[in-house]
Amino acid sequence: MSHRCNNSLVVVALAAWLMSPCASAFILTLPSASAHPRTIHHSSVDSIIDGPSNGNGDSTLTKICHILQNLQKDLLTNPSKLQPILQQHQDSSADDVELSSENVVKETLLSTRIPDLQLQLNRTRTGPSTIDGAGRGLFATEDIAKGELITCYPGDALLCEYSELEIDDEEEDGFDEEDIDFEDEDYYDEEADYVEEVVLWGEHVDTSDRLEEDEVFDGIVAENVPPLTSYAASVDDVYSVMGMPILDNNPAYYGHFANDGAGHIAIQTGVDDAARIGIEEIISSYVSESVELSNALHKPIADGLHLGTFASKDIKKGEEVMVTYGPDYWMNFEGG
């Protein structure tokens, strides 16, 4: 299922934004050349957090890292435990992707909820958001200091976007340069790398709750179910974890309920407003307000084996936890 698409409008707008003063607050992954519009959070920011404090979140983070490292060692020495992920690869259209055992272990752990972790990490609750129209939000149930781990971001489903460099060279055997129409404008407009997309499900997700691939990217319109990618957060340039909103009884994995406090700027701005005000000004306004309102961010832990939500400011008990999704999320919101 190799695809590529034209993201020129998004890239031009992001390029303008990247030259703005607010851009230094973000580390962004530009939209990939994938088959579907992306609504993935890019809120990893190294510069905001100087380092974790010595509070509860810090000691729990240390324990989680040790657990993940031990699980990693166990999986590497017992490859039979990787069979669930390997089977999903075999059943997918991307069975020609070559992965090392380390990659498969990473995929397994990113799509795992550590059992009983809520006994050690229970600092949040969900409830009606303070943001109009945002649905549920995430709230602190205790004071949380800047730098501390708040909760983890679940990988109930894992979106893998493998570049052409990771695909088996055998796929190139039948390639003939003469088959390409170099006079076709689309060839040059779409010269981004091909991307092979795979959705992998965590073992903890009941098969009856797993969505079809189209539902992951498009949602279920008849049932008013949004795309699962709207609950996705980027781990790196290959993997994005997606949290299922129906799995909402584990405060150790509540990261997908954190809202962006400035999303209304993007949602309420129409095409006419964008033309009148200018896309650069809209993006700048969004970023400024989003950074001001945010008090948390998503950040990989244990060398990318999990994604955590960390406090970027001191958070008081009862305060809503907010992150910054980034302008690329809102540009692709609802397939826009």
Side-chain angles (χ1 to χ4, degrees), residues 34-257:
S34 55
H36 305 275
R38 278 295 163 267
T39 49
I40 294 178
H41 309 180
H42 296 289
S43 60
S44 298
V45 185
D46 289 326
S47 59
I48 290 180
I49 292 182
D50 298 326
S53 69
N54 294 318
N56 174 57
D58 185 23
S59 59
T60 303
L61 174 60
T62 301
K63 293 177 183 177
I64 293 174
C65 288
H66 287 161
I67 291 172
L68 289 168
Q69 289 163 359
N70 288 334
L71 288 172
Q72 182 184 41
K73 292 177 183 177
D74 180 54
L75 291 170
L76 286 171
T77 52
N78 296 282
S80 61
K81 295 182 178 181
L82 301 174
Q83 189 57 38
I85 287 290
L86 291 173
Q87 185 61 53
Q88 291 189 64
H89 272 292
Q90 292 174 8
D91 294 341
S92 75
S93 60
D95 56 355
D96 54 356
V97 175
E98 291 188 334
L99 296 173
S100 66
S101 56
E102 288 79 8
N103 286 127
V104 181
V105 168
K106 181 175 182 176
E107 293 177 353
T108 299
L109 293 178
L110 278 173
S111 58
T112 294
R113 290 194 180 203
I114 299 173
D116 300 321
L117 186 59
Q118 69 272 21
L119 300 178
Q120 301 181 54
L121 186 58
N122 188 348
R123 318 185 77 184
T124 56
R125 64 172 178 83
T126 61
S129 175
T130 59
I131 306 168
D132 289 340
R136 282 186 289 180
L138 184 64
F139 296 84
T141 56
E142 61 183 61
D143 291 346
I144 302 174
K146 175 183 176 180
E148 290 185 353
L149 177 66
I150 302 170
T151 186
C152 291
Y153 203 109
D156 302 321
L158 183 65
L159 175 61
C160 313
E161 298 181 304
Y162 305 114
S163 73
E164 60 182 357
L165 298 178
E166 295 160 318
I167 298 176
D168 192 342
D169 289 339
E170 292 180 3
E171 187 173 295
E172 303 297 329
D173 288 349
F175 175 76
D176 188 348
E177 188 174 298
E178 294 181 358
D179 293 336
I180 297 179
D181 181 2
F182 290 99
E183 296 182 0
D184 185 355
E185 292 182 1
D186 289 340
Y187 173 78
Y188 298 98
D189 289 340
E190 302 175 353
E191 61 182 280
D193 290 342
Y194 283 97
V195 169
E196 196 83 36
E197 294 177 328
V198 181
V199 176
L200 304 174
W201 293 93
E203 274 195 275
H204 61 279
V205 180
D206 192 278
T207 53
S208 63
D209 291 328
R210 299 181 184 185
L211 303 174
E212 297 294 332
E213 183 173 313
D214 288 346
E215 296 171 344
V216 169
F217 296 103
D218 302 327
I220 307 175
V221 178
E223 300 178 21
N224 199 29
V225 175
L228 190 58
T229 53
S230 64
Y231 289 90
S234 176
V235 179
D236 53 34
D237 58 357
V238 176
Y239 300 113
S240 296
V241 288
M242 298 184 285
M244 298 190 72
I246 63 171
L247 301 182
D248 58 0
N249 62 350
N250 187 344
Y253 289 95
Y254 271 174
H256 55 314
F257 290 111

Side-chain angles (χ1 to χ4, degrees), residues 23-36:
S24 59
F26 288 87
I27 296 176
L28 268 178
T29 303
L30 291 177
S32 60
S34 55
H36 305 275

